[in-house]
Amino acid sequence: LIQFQKGQTPTPPPFEIFLCFGEEWPDQKPKEKKLITVQVVPVAARLLLEMFSGELSWSADSIPLHISQPDLKDRMVQQFKELHQLWQSHQRLPPAQPPPD
């Protein structure tokens, strides 16, 4: 990226990461012919390249960030935490006295 910014290389460095699942890779087949491929684009790398190449036309404040909705696993973890806290508070209570006869 620094070499590109200084004009020492004509093309920017690639910042995409490709993952292939279920098959050998790299091999003679192009990635478009693979059964399962995933392309990961690190936002920070893309922003740096756009900054260095002068293509950055928006501010970092305009990046939409979304917090995912809690799913079943998150709710279960929260419930287990609450149960654990109840159990701990129950352990600290003095033993219950049997009712008088």
Side-chain angles (χ1 to χ4, degrees):
L1 184 60
I2 293 171
Q3 290 175 343
F4 176 70
Q5 191 244 351
K6 290 181 177 180
Q8 297 173 351
T9 181
T11 57
F15 55 85
E16 299 93 356
I17 301 166
F18 291 94
L19 305 172
C20 177
F21 297 95
E23 293 182 75
E24 290 291 324
W25 191 44
D27 60 6
Q28 302 303 325
K29 282 171 70 172
K31 65 181 173 275
E32 294 80 18
K33 299 285 186 182
K34 294 295 185 180
L35 291 175
I36 302 172
T37 57
V38 176
Q39 179 184 10
V40 179
V41 179
V43 174
R46 188 186 71 205
L47 286 173
L48 285 171
L49 178 63
E50 290 175 359
M51 282 176 19
F52 282 136
S53 64
E55 296 175 10
L56 186 62
S57 60
W58 43 270
S59 71
D61 296 334
S62 68
I63 299 173
L65 298 177
H66 301 283
I67 297 175
S68 62
Q69 296 296 320
D71 61 2
L72 179 60
K73 176 184 60 79
D74 294 330
R75 285 187 290 234
M76 286 177 59
V77 168
Q78 184 60 36
Q79 288 173 349
F80 281 127
K81 286 180 181 178
E82 291 171 9
L83 284 172
H84 182 66
Q85 289 172 347
L86 285 172
W87 179 78
Q88 284 182 326
S89 64
H90 180 71
Q91 294 296 320
R92 287 186 227 130
L93 293 175
Q97 299 295 323
D101 289 334

